[in-house]
Amino acid sequence: MRFVKSVRPAAAAISLISAGIPKSLDISSTTSVQSVAKTIAQNTMSFYKGTDDQFVDLDAPYYWWQCGAMMGSMLDYSHYTGDHTYDKKIATAILAQAGPNFDYMSPAHAGQEGNDDQAFWGFAVLAAAERNFPQPRSEIPGYLELGENIWQSLASRWDTTTCNGGLRWQIFATNPNGLDYKNAVSNGGFFQISARLARITGNQTYVEWANKVWDWTQGTGMINEHYQVLDGASSRKNCSDVNAATTVSFSYSQGIYTYGAAIMANISTGADQEKWTDRTKKLLDSSQNYFTPFGDVNNSTDVMYEHACEHIDICNTDMKSFKGYFSRFVYASKIMVPSIKPTVDRLLHTSAKAAAQGCQGGQTGTMCGRKWYVDGFYGDAGLGEQMSALETIQGILVDQAKPPLRGNDIKTVRTFSSS
């Protein structure tokens, strides 16, 4: 499958572009998107106290996984805008968490690490590999090997004692909250990582596992007949309790599976390509229930919201960031399956404009809020809100960026670029 690149001229180097006022965003202007993304990236990084040389955990209430998610967002920022201001901090953070076995099983965070947490660091690691992001530490393996180690760690915990397979949410018995729950985000993370490694390496084992995880997820009903991705099921009930009427669903799981399916379509041929393209389109079509919260009224048409919690103000700290990961992976999906581009652009470009209008809060007056369908800033100026807006806005530039590398094009680069 061919990639489609934008023919719009590149803007000036972002180092020459000043940070912009988000509410002035013009999505048709590369310079405007870059300048607004620059402002929101600054606000996002204000939550991180690490340096170019030292990793520091995020302050409460943010968990370890969200730092991995944050570094994934900032990798996108560097790649889409060409602003390398934060590259050393990003590399230091990612490499510092590799763990003693270089698989992101972090002893310091064992009390909170689940399979989904490891997967989110895996997303960041693979993004670094696919872009030849600098890896300055020769005593640590390259990003691709780190990603393969994460995959091996996840695969080793595929559990056939219940539900005929699947990953549990949690890893350690010392963290029993969710140990008997097999959830979409953990299995979706494993699915997407398998698909990405299949594309990078051409190794058929990864293809087989991607198919296996998809089949298992669909077999349990976590991907239902309408291609809704439902949150999970109890292993105590042999995963028989998945039901769209009672099982919650979140945008990020929908996005994670969409990108994995899009990659499988991209690397497949013939009937398999048709199958995976159809799955990608159906996942995207189903995702539209995360948009237009009030129908075609109140300026909410095609504006994204987290439907499990947002409109009734019960989103927890994690949930406030989910829209960002949906945007990240669905923007990436249209590069793999160009036929979905019109739908992706309609939904996410509209949401980007709405999100930018909500970035009028906090101490800077440019911090982004939670609800994008209200007039101006709403809610908290937290990290999740900044990442959600950042990914949705900077993703407008995805068509101009180089597509993910694969095969022998992936190298270990030791030196950093400058903007």
Side-chain angles (χ1 to χ4, degrees), residues 145-310:
E145 185 176 342
L146 293 173
E148 291 180 309
N149 292 347
I150 291 169
W151 183 90
Q152 188 63 52
S153 178
L154 290 166
S156 73
R157 292 190 293 276
W158 186 258
D159 171 35
T160 58
T161 62
T162 63
C163 308
N164 199 34
L167 291 176
R168 296 174 184 266
W169 177 17
Q170 299 298 342
I171 297 172
F172 301 106
T174 52
N175 187 7
N177 179 29
L179 194 61
D180 62 349
Y181 193 61
K182 295 190 175 182
N183 63 344
V185 65
S186 295
N187 288 281
F190 185 32
F191 166 66
Q192 188 192 114
I193 289 170
S194 297
R196 289 168 77 169
L197 285 171
R199 180 181 176 275
I200 291 169
T201 67
N203 187 328
Q204 190 65 23
T205 297
Y206 297 128
V207 175
E208 293 168 358
W209 269 95
N211 278 284
K212 182 176 183 175
V213 180
W214 174 276
D215 291 346
W216 178 87
T217 309
Q218 204 167 43
T220 63
M222 286 184 211
I223 298 177
N224 68 14
E225 67 273 20
H226 304 296
Y227 280 74
Q228 293 173 285
V229 181
L230 305 177
D231 189 61
S234 171
S235 60
R236 293 182 181 180
K237 298 179 180 178
N238 207 36
C239 296
S240 64
D241 56 335
V242 183
N243 187 311
T246 58
T247 305
V248 71
S249 57
F250 296 106
S251 62
Y252 75 150
S253 296
Q254 195 83 24
I256 288 168
Y257 274 97
T258 301
Y259 188 37
I263 294 167
M264 292 299 289
N266 182 265
I267 65 175
S268 300
T269 58
D272 282 340
Q273 185 179 79
E274 291 179 7
K275 174 183 69 179
W276 283 109
T277 299
D278 182 64
R279 288 171 171 174
T280 303
K281 290 179 177 178
K282 286 178 176 176
L283 285 164
L284 180 61
D285 287 345
S286 183
S287 75
Q288 294 189 59
N289 63 24
Y290 294 100
F291 293 81
T292 316
F294 301 113
D296 293 327
V297 296
N298 296 339
N299 298 317
S300 71
T301 303
D302 293 338
V303 175
M304 191 178 357
Y305 76 118
E306 196 61 48
H307 66 204
C309 62
E310 186 176 305

Side-chain angles (χ1 to χ4, degrees), residues 347-387:
L347 295 171
L348 294 185
H349 289 187
T350 302
S351 294
K353 289 188 287 186
Q357 293 305 306
C359 298
Q360 302 184 48
Q363 292 183 346
T364 64
T366 59
M367 298 289 278
C368 302
R370 187 181 324 137
K371 294 184 179 182
W372 299 346
Y373 43 85
V374 300
D375 186 17
F377 177 83
Y378 180 95
D380 304 315
L383 174 59
E385 288 86 349
Q386 311 321 304
M387 287 197 294

